[in-house]
Each structure stands twice: as C-alpha cells, then as structure tokens.
Amino acid sequence: MKTLGNRLRKVPPGAAVKILRRGFLLPTPAARLLFNDILKPEKWHRQWIYKVRWNQGWWGGWIGENINKLNHDGMMDRIARADVILFHVHGGGFRLGKYNMFMDSCIQLLRVLKVKFNVDALIMSVEHRLSPEYKYPSATEDIVHAYDHLINKLNVDPSRVICIGGSTGAAVILEMLFITHDPGLFEIQVDNVEGGQAEAIAPELPRPASLIISSPLVTDKTTSESWITNTKYDYINQDTAKKIIAEYFEEPAPDVAPDANRLLGIADLQTGYNAFLPQTLMFVGNREVLRDDALDFAHKAEQDGVRWETIVEECAHDYFFVREVVKDKKVLERIDDIFADFVYRTVIGPCHEEVRSFRRASEGLAAVPEEEQHDDTSYDDSEASEDEFHEALTMTLDYNQSTTTAVSEQSSKVSTMSNRTSVSNSKKKSTMTIYV
C-alpha cells in the first residue's frame, strides 16, 4: 500500500501546499501521524541510511551512499574519509520531524556533489527533542551536544563541516553557532550523578567552514509585509506561527522581558554577526511569509561583514528541502548547482586545492536497487526507539565580496528587499542577479 508521501510527490505543487498548510494546523499528535506518513522513507532510501541510537552525544542518522550495512568501524572509516560532512538539522516547527524526513532532497544533494565535483559527502542528520513535551531550549541543547560530538568525539576537522538546515532547523543552528562562540552566554541543564539538575556551560566550539540555511525562522514577530501579502501562497500562516510559539516557549515570568528567548532574538542584534557566523548561503522563497524577516536578517549580517549570498526563488516556504512545492523544475536544477558550487568553494577549494584535484564526473551515480529487507542494526524507525531516545535524554544529558542573488519574476518587492541586503563600500560590493 502506497503511503500518503508517495501520493504527495505526484500532486501539483499548489495541492501540496494546501495539504501541508492543513497538516501544520492539526493538533500535534495528529500532525505527527500525518507527517510521519508523508515523509516516511521509501524502501530504496534504506541503502542510504545508517541510524544512530542515542549514544550520550546525539541521535539521528548518517545519510550516504551504500552505508546501511556498515558496522561501526566501517562507518567511522567512511566519516574519516568523507570530503565534506553536512551537519543537518530538520525543520518542523520544533514539534514535528525526523532525521530522515527529506530523503529525496538529501540524496539529491549528495548526488549533485558527486556528479559535478566528484566530492564524497556524508550527511549527519540530527534529531532533537520535540515540543510540546520538551520546551525551549531543549532542541538547542541537543544540537549543541551533537555538534560537540562531531568535532570532539569523532574528531572531524571543522573545515570539512557545513551546517545546513531549513525553517526552525535553521533557527536552532543559528542559536547553536551563537552560543558556542561565547559559552558564557548560555547554560545547559544536565543531570548530575546524584540525580538532581546541575548547570553546565555550553562548550566553546569552532565555527564550521560555512553555513547553508533555507527559509530561516529568525523572529517571533509576524508583522512584516510578507506575512500579509504571501499568506495565500504559503503553507505557513499566522495560526501556524502562534501554535509553534505557544508549544515550544514557556510563558515568561513576570520579571522576565518578553523578548528574552534568545532563539528568536538573534535577528534583533545590531552587530556581532561576524563573530559567530561563517560564510553563509541562504535560500528564501519570494512567496513565503518569512521572506522579509529573512532578508532583513541577511542585510544585518552583511553589514557586519559576514560573507553572505541570498537566493530568492518564486516559491513557498523551505522549497530547498520541501521540493514538492516547486512548480518549475528548472528551479531545482538551479539551486542544486548553486549549492554544489558553494560547497566546493567553501570547503574543497580552500582545504584541498593545492594537494589534490577533483575532476568533474562525466556520468551520474549508478541506480540504487530496491531492498526487500533492511538491516535493523543500522535502521530502525520505530516509535519505541524514539521514546527510548527521549527517555535516555531526560536521564543522562550531561573573497572581499558578498553576493546577493535574487531570483524572481521581476518582483519589485524582492528587488527592493534584495537591494536592502546589499552593502557597498570601498572594500565590499554586493551584486544582484535576476533570473527570468
């Protein structure tokens, strides 16, 4: 029996937007059932999945070609030999989602890197505790632990790492980068040996080589113009935003400022972006409600000296990962090329240009055969295992140029906003390319 996810891939983008819009408004239990079915991996995906159970550092899974049958040592060898590690955090409004929810998109990203630059990449796709069962800052704590595990336990050079995430996943990554560049700003609640709670300072961690974010949630305010003009096109709306905020964030105490939530307050910073943000590529939809807030955030970061590239396409929210909402398939080809070029420029070029050469592959990867059975030691997506992770967590948590590219149908709004993200001075010049 085909899942709803298989059917969603075949419906028109407009119908997909409507299904997603209604799904996000459902009560959390019902929404999880729906989206777990919509985003359930297919049989042929299994060959690309190596599931990781909670291991005192992180849980989720690795995504890469032919890794599902590897033993532990074999997986560690693949990690050590990978040219690029994509540290991925899923979206879902803090309340939905799994590490393997975007398998088609993730596999396509790995394939385009292989085909275009012969780059061997792996995706470390991390899960986090979900709301409303776990409130802020649970998700950030989990992602900090996972990134720490990647750098300090797996000993992966940060110059080989790109952080990547969409929507609320991008928001969590932004806060992770912010707090780990200055640990004194943040405290993580962990359990001490006596069973009581103790406070631990977040570890100071090096920045990754670069950052790729799609439709980032950067503020809890819903007053920008795109929240009004794009509601009819997007699957995120005011009601969705209220539900996300209400379920993830506790009501502030009387003596706490209403904007005390750092996660959705980074965009309020006037300076300091260059201290924690690496070179960044951002995808945002011209038809999404978060457009204006994301472009304002990009403008501030550029002003502060962050090397930043913005891609705007005539699409709805998080089209980089949720590709079912994209009508023009040439858009997908374009963003895949932009993604691959960015990865090569920020990781492969700086680190390996002098000691090794990467040829452009002349043909694609071989077709992946379907498997009837899957090795349960590396892939088990049961709800019981998810509950096991959450239970364990509660018990054991211890160039001189910036380019802004706008892609639209000659939208005057986006042209104006993109110009706002451009910063010009004697040392820095931003450019805008419009695809029509």
Side-chain angles (χ1 to χ4, degrees):
M1 179 178 178
K2 290 185 176 296
T3 66
L4 181 58
N6 290 327
R7 298 189 184 99
L8 183 66
R9 294 180 180 95
K10 298 178 181 179
V11 302
V17 168
K18 291 180 180 178
I19 293 172
L20 293 171
R21 181 185 298 147
R22 292 187 178 185
F24 271 106
L25 290 175
L26 291 172
T28 297
R32 287 178 183 170
L33 286 174
L34 173 67
F35 283 99
N36 285 348
D37 184 55
I38 288 178
L39 303 170
K40 182 179 180 179
E42 298 182 58
K43 286 184 179 180
W44 73 271
H45 291 147
R46 294 175 179 178
Q47 190 165 338
W48 294 76
I49 296 173
Y50 182 96
K51 182 158 186 173
V52 175
R53 296 179 180 275
W54 167 246
N55 60 8
Q56 309 301 312
W58 72 290
W59 81 101
W62 292 94
I63 300 173
E65 189 178 16
N66 297 321
I67 65 173
N68 72 315
K69 302 267 187 191
L70 294 177
N71 59 23
H72 178 267
D73 291 341
M75 191 66 237
M76 294 303 102
D77 181 63
R78 282 291 296 272
I79 294 168
R81 291 188 293 107
D83 300 311
V84 179
I85 301 293
L86 299 172
F87 181 86
H88 172 248
V89 182
H90 66 76
F94 308 113
R95 57 199 276 264
L96 309 168
K98 293 186 175 183
Y99 76 96
N100 55 14
M101 64 190 291
F102 298 126
M103 286 303 300
D104 285 342
S105 301
C106 288
I107 291 172
Q108 175 60 19
L109 297 180
L110 295 177
R111 281 176 165 166
V112 73
L113 286 173
K114 186 68 174 179
V115 170
K116 191 170 185 180
F117 293 116
N118 198 28
V119 168
D120 291 318
L122 284 174
I123 298 175
M124 179 183 178
S125 190
V126 182
E127 290 197 7
H128 58 75
R129 287 168 292 175
L130 302 175
S131 67
E133 294 88 348
Y134 299 94
K135 300 289 189 177
Y136 174 84
S138 297
T140 302
E141 293 173 355
D142 298 341
I143 302 310
V144 168
H145 282 301
Y147 187 66
D148 182 28
H149 187 88
L150 176 67
I151 301 301
N152 293 320
K153 300 298 183 183
L154 299 180
N155 298 315
V156 173
D157 189 326
S159 66
R160 291 197 292 133
V161 177
I162 295 178
C163 289
I164 180 170
S167 191
T168 54
V172 175
I173 288 176
L174 288 170
E175 186 176 45
M176 182 272 288
L177 293 173
F178 178 63
I179 64 176
T180 56
H181 95 281
D182 186 353
L185 295 174
F186 192 75
E187 293 179 343
I188 292 180
Q189 296 292 330
V190 298
D191 292 338
N192 61 27
V193 292
E194 284 79 24
Q197 284 194 331
E199 292 181 349
I201 301 299
E204 182 175 1
L205 297 170
R207 286 190 293 185
S210 55
L211 171 66
I212 300 174
I213 51 178
S214 169
S215 302
L217 178 66
V218 295
T219 177
D220 57 353
K221 300 178 178 65
T222 59
T223 55
S224 61
E225 183 180 345
S226 57
W227 274 98
I228 300 172
T229 59
N230 286 343
T231 297
K232 59 185 176 182
Y233 304 119
D234 207 358
Y235 57 90
I236 304 297
N237 57 32
Q238 294 275 358
D239 292 332
T240 312
K242 291 177 182 177
K243 184 178 291 291
I244 289 172
I245 301 303
E247 291 194 351
Y248 187 49
F249 296 101
E250 300 278 8
E251 286 290 333
D255 58 341
V256 176
D259 58 352
N261 287 323
R262 205 164 19 251
L263 177 66
L264 300 182
I266 292 178
D268 294 331
L269 294 173
Q270 297 305 310
T271 187
Y273 294 93
N274 196 40
F276 68 93
L277 287 178
Q279 186 169 350
T280 300
L281 171 64
M282 181 179 76
F283 295 93
V284 65
N286 186 35
R287 293 192 168 199
E288 70 169 298
V289 294
L290 301 184
R291 181 195 64 198
D292 293 354
D293 296 323
L295 292 177
D296 284 341
F297 180 76
H299 170 62
K300 290 181 180 180
E302 277 193 301
Q303 268 195 323
D304 204 48
V306 178
R307 290 186 292 173
W308 191 286
E309 302 169 42
T310 296
I311 310 299
V312 180
E313 295 280 5
E314 200 69 16
C315 299
H317 181 69
D318 202 14
Y319 62 90
F320 184 76
F321 287 108
V322 189
R323 299 185 169 207
E324 291 79 9
V325 304
V326 179
K327 182 177 181 180
D328 184 357
K329 300 310 175 185
K330 291 182 180 179
V331 169
L332 300 180
E333 296 175 5
R334 185 159 58 233
I335 63 177
D336 283 346
D337 281 342
I338 292 169
F339 159 81
D341 289 341
F342 182 81
V343 171
Y344 187 89
R345 284 188 286 112
T346 60
V347 177
I348 305 302
C351 295
H352 302 288
E353 195 170 40
E354 296 182 0
V355 297
R356 62 190 296 189
S357 65
F358 285 83
R359 70 180 185 281
R360 290 182 182 235
S362 59
E363 58 186 9
L365 300 178
V368 180
E370 280 196 4
E371 292 185 341
E372 292 302 319
Q373 299 295 328
H374 188 275
D375 183 357
D376 290 336
T377 61
S378 62
Y379 179 78
D380 175 9
D381 207 38
S382 67
E383 293 298 326
S385 62
E386 179 178 314
D387 293 340
E388 179 181 307
F389 298 151
H390 290 175
E391 182 179 355
L393 280 167
T394 60
M395 297 176 62
T396 61
L397 267 178
D398 168 9
Y399 329 101
N400 294 332
Q401 175 174 327
S402 175
T403 303
T404 299
T405 304
V407 185
S408 67
E409 295 178 356
Q410 301 186 30
S411 165
S412 60
K413 174 62 180 177
V414 172
S415 297
T416 302
M417 293 301 298
S418 297
N419 286 330
R420 288 176 62 189
T421 66
S422 301
V423 181
S424 300
N425 55 38
S426 60
K427 295 184 179 180
K428 182 177 180 180
K429 183 178 180 181
S430 295
T431 61
M432 179 175 66
T433 303
I434 300 178
Y435 296 89
V436 295

